[in-house]
Amino acid sequence: MRARHRWLVTGTAAGALALLPGTAFAWGTPGASNGGKKETSGTRDGSTLVSKVVYSGSTSGARGGGDGRGALQPVGDWSPPACWYEPRSAEQFRDYVEGVYEETINTPGQHSYAKQSVGMFRDDYKDGTYKNYNLDKKDEGSFWVAVRDEDRRMEPEAQACDKPPFWVENGDPVPAENAVTPEVLAELAYNRVRLPAVEVTLRPEAATKVNLPTWAWLDRTRFTETSVTASIAVGGLNIQATTTARPVSLRLEPGTPDAETYPASGECTIDADGSIGEPYAQGKADLTPPCGLKYLRSSDNGTFTLRATITWDISWTGTGGAGGDLPDGTFGNDQAVTVQEIQAVNR
């Protein structure tokens, strides 16, 4: 029986893909709903096998899209998986390997080492460790392959799933960390939640005054519960998980140390009715706002940069009644604030 190797699908000078030993076997991008490559025949797209995870809900394309919405930033040093493992049927795996092999050896000017590497990889699954891609027992299990989040492909974490494709019998545990489960799906969905831009309403609106309390609040109709569902159905696996973000507080950072916040912590908690802060109304000029700030000096001819950040509580539920909590996330925006001196009128 031949020794197992680790491989990487990588570009060559000729533009084809080769399988190089000694590194991770990369399997392409997330599903089309998050900006990844679209599935074609359900097996291959060009020379990469795409992820089968599908996202739905409050997700709006790739990270950092131009619609004013943004991604959760986890609190602390936790982050969703940059790579994970998914199953493939014997036929899907065969079609992928044969396709890469044919493309590599038939590309004019392809390096001999690339042809040799892809040939060795193919032989291992066709007539080596495995026999004819396990097609004779295709209903008894699946090949599990490493995939990565293409938006994070340059991060070291994206190379952590370095096991070559391996066979798992139906019902057996998958011997790999980050093998796709409802919890892993929930973590992937976390990375796809898109939140509305955080722009607080201020009064006074056009320009505030030195030492004048400025009221701040958020439209509760925009900052409501937000969810993304991640699901995968391939081979005998059909699971899903929904990750839900709920706003809990608004943090105000005035952009200068010469300012005070209300409350003093700068953290405005969400009210029972889902609102944050209280709209200013006539007759409240002498009251202290429940959420707001006061600048102690003018911005001269410029502006101060007010940073408004929402903290979101994150939970998930999934197939089989699974569920739990994930780390809190934040998302914020900057907005310019003009602060003027109060002009005294001498008579």
Side-chain angles (χ1 to χ4, degrees), residues 36 41 62 137 163 190 201 229 246 257 277 339 341 343:
S41 65
K137 53 179 183 178
K163 292 175 68 71
Y190 186 114
T201 303
T229 296
R246 298 177 179 86
V339 182
E341 292 281 2
Q343 300 297 319

Side-chain angles (χ1 to χ4, degrees), residues 16-61:
L17 297 181
L19 299 169
L20 303 183
T23 51
F25 197 108
W27 285 85
T29 66
S33 64
N34 60 34
K37 297 177 183 178
K38 294 183 179 179
E39 297 175 20
T40 51
S41 65
T43 53
R44 298 179 63 238
D45 176 14
S47 295
T48 57
L49 190 67
V50 300
S51 170
K52 296 295 185 182
V53 176
V54 176
Y55 301 90
S56 61
S58 185
T59 177
S60 57

